[in-house]
Amino acid sequence: MSNKVFELMKDLEHEQVVICHDPKSNLKAIIAIHNTTLGPALGGTRMWNYNSDDDAVVDALRLSRGMTYKAAISGLNLGGGKAVIIGDPALKSEALWRRYGKFVNSLNGKYITAEDVNTSASDMEFIHLETKHVTGIPEYMGGSGDPSPFTAYGVFVGMKACAHKAWGNDSLSGKKVLVQGVGHVGQYLVGHLVDAGAKVFITDINQERIKETREKYQVEFVAPEDMLKMELDVYAPCALGATINDTTMAQLKCPIIAGAANNQLAEEKVHGRQLIDRGIIYAPDFLINAGGLINVAAEASGSYNREKVNKDVEKIYDRILDIFALSAAENITTQEAAMHIAQKRIDDVAHVKSRL
Ligand code: NAD
């Protein structure tokens, strides 16, 4: 990979990649800064036991690029960044987070971190001991806490926009919705769906999460290997990325895909087009899952108001309908339509900045 990093950075148009290592705390982290035209790069830190360092680099690069577009399309004055920590989340320690916080601090605010897969508000608390460039810190410390409820609310609102497109009204009552991954976001999403009267199915690989969700809500469990055998109204990917790929494409039996996971399309162009050809409505991931970012951006701005954040998250509904209209008018995929709008905002702002 080492000789391919620059190639990949060139292809994906990254500004900077920082590799951090501290043997004592067993920290191996990659901070990827994609684009800072609109502002400092804000994006969560993921902890994952990657199969290889190469996989971790690719993940960091892909995820950080998604953050640039997510901030841009959501009207936020933030750039795109993301970090990954290579390792077993069971082995997290105070020393690891504090050492990582020092690395984040060394970037002087060019990168601001937050939670992501396998990281929590209490981990952010440790990071905060070493840097102020962290969001999603607990409420008792003046932060806004876990961003996942806002992400889930945005996905729910976005799913309603998809329902409007598919069936002419927003109602999810009686609709069969499969939530893949009932972690931080997935569980809150299940709550909204159950309240809306949907028939909710869940799948996960973590028995504890399945148990927790079934104790809280009336849902049916489906084994991961069986989920694509089902006839569904909505498939909501809320686990990891690339679940829309060559294998699953042929199996999907649903008119709508709307979920929180980042990078859902294994290959954006190929699979985005195949979804259109199959008549499947796809809500671009970086648009529908922007609720958490909208929330931490409000926290980072220093003037946090939960009610206003919820109103801002609800704007995802109209943005998704706009994307569907652009996709139909230009015969492009919904992902491409969303990227066009995001890229246009970045280019327009870059132009304004170059005039200063
Ligand atoms: P999480 O780690 O809390 O939950 C992920 C869940 O997916 C876990 O319960 C895990 O066991 C399950 N899972 C993993 N592999 C699976 C598989 N093969 N089949 C079924 N289940 C599987 O993470 P989260 O914070 O809920 O985030 C979920 C997704 O949403 C991630 O892709 C994340 O990047 C994205 N996202 C999260 C936020 C946020 O606010 N947390 C914001 C935007 C995007």
Side-chain angles (χ1 to χ4, degrees):
M1 168 61 76
S2 56
N3 58 347
K4 290 212 177 128
V5 173
F6 287 109
E7 217 174 283
L8 210 55
M9 285 176 74
K10 186 167 167 237
D11 284 355
L12 298 178
E13 301 182 285
H14 277 75
E15 285 179 16
Q16 189 177 3
V17 175
V18 185
I19 311 235
C20 318
H21 186 219
D22 178 51
K24 198 144 191 245
S25 60
N26 215 7
L27 174 73
K28 287 189 208 160
I30 299 159
I31 302 174
I33 296 173
H34 179 252
N35 186 302
T36 53
T37 305
L38 296 176
L42 196 158
T45 299
R46 172 172 297 196
M47 187 159 188
W48 196 256
N49 224 345
Y50 289 95
N51 287 331
S52 68
D53 295 354
D54 289 3
D55 285 0
V57 171
V58 171
D59 209 24
L61 292 181
R62 275 172 56 103
L63 289 165
S64 54
R65 175 173 171 265
M67 294 307 292
T68 297
Y69 294 115
K70 191 183 303 200
I73 203 159
S74 304
L76 302 171
N77 293 313
L78 291 171
K82 199 94 175 179
V84 301
I85 295 187
I86 303 168
D88 182 349
L91 303 178
K92 293 178 193 182
S93 66
E94 175 184 354
L96 178 131
W97 291 122
R98 293 187 69 161
R99 188 66 190 94
Y100 174 64
K102 278 202 183 295
F103 279 115
V104 171
N105 200 49
S106 71
L107 293 167
N108 291 318
K110 190 172 180 189
Y111 170 68
I112 304 170
T113 197
E115 294 91 338
D116 193 65
V117 174
N118 287 324
T119 55
S120 64
S122 57
D123 301 330
M124 298 306 118
E125 197 174 334
F126 285 133
I127 295 173
H128 188 252
L129 293 171
E130 305 298 336
T131 181
K132 61 180 191 321
H133 305 300
V134 53
T135 54
I137 54 174
E139 286 167 76
Y140 60 81
M141 289 176 70
S144 63
D146 177 12
S148 307
F150 298 92
T151 304
Y153 184 49
V155 172
F156 175 65
V157 165
M159 200 184 282
K160 281 175 156 291
C162 296
H164 182 86
K165 166 92 177 151
W167 305 302
N169 71 69
D170 289 359
S171 174
L172 293 167
S173 178
K175 301 295 182 197
K176 284 188 182 177
V177 183
L178 174 93
V179 179
Q180 177 189 30
V182 281
H184 287 94
V185 180
Q187 286 200 21
Y188 286 109
L189 177 61
V190 167
H192 288 299
L193 291 167
V194 168
D195 288 349
K199 170 115 191 67
V200 183
F201 298 86
I202 60 159
T203 188
D204 204 295
I205 49 170
N206 179 323
Q207 295 309 315
E208 199 48 45
R209 294 267 168 92
I210 296 165
K211 187 166 163 270
E212 253 169 51
T213 315
R214 293 184 77 184
E215 278 169 6
K216 277 196 243 168
Y217 306 106
Q218 272 258 303
V219 292
E220 214 172 288
F221 171 72
V222 182
E225 61 278 16
D226 291 334
M227 68 172 213
L228 291 174
K229 294 182 188 151
M230 297 180 65
E231 294 271 356
L232 295 164
D233 292 306
V234 184
Y235 163 46
C238 296
L240 295 182
T243 59
I244 304 164
N245 52 46
D246 287 343
T247 313
T248 57
M249 183 60 71
Q251 301 170 316
L252 287 165
K253 292 185 272 296
C254 57
I256 294 174
I257 300 178
N262 284 308
N263 299 329
Q264 292 170 29
L265 302 173
E267 284 182 60
E268 280 171 15
K269 284 206 165 82
V270 177
H271 299 118
R273 175 51 60 187
Q274 287 175 359
L275 288 174
I276 295 217
D277 294 345
R278 291 208 44 207
I280 297 175
I281 295 168
Y282 171 68
D285 45 16
F286 64 87
L287 167 51
I288 195 169
N289 72 14
L293 180 65
I294 293 169
N295 183 60
V296 291
E299 180 185 332
S301 77
S303 58
Y304 185 76
N305 178 317
R306 191 168 283 258
E307 226 168 277
K308 166 132 187 359
V309 169
N310 274 322
K311 290 257 170 302
D312 286 345
V313 172
E314 282 166 9
K315 291 180 186 159
I316 288 174
Y317 182 96
D318 283 336
R319 286 194 191 114
I320 287 192
L321 290 184
D322 288 348
I323 292 303
F324 290 157
L326 183 65
S327 155
E330 307 270 323
N331 188 23
I332 52 178
T333 68
T334 53
Q335 186 86 0
E336 285 165 336
M339 303 236 333
H340 281 334
I341 291 183
Q343 190 62 55
K344 182 171 184 316
R345 179 162 176 249
I346 295 167
D347 294 344
D348 288 352
V349 172
H351 175 73
V352 172
K353 280 188 169 175
S354 71
R355 302 273 148 167
L356 289 176

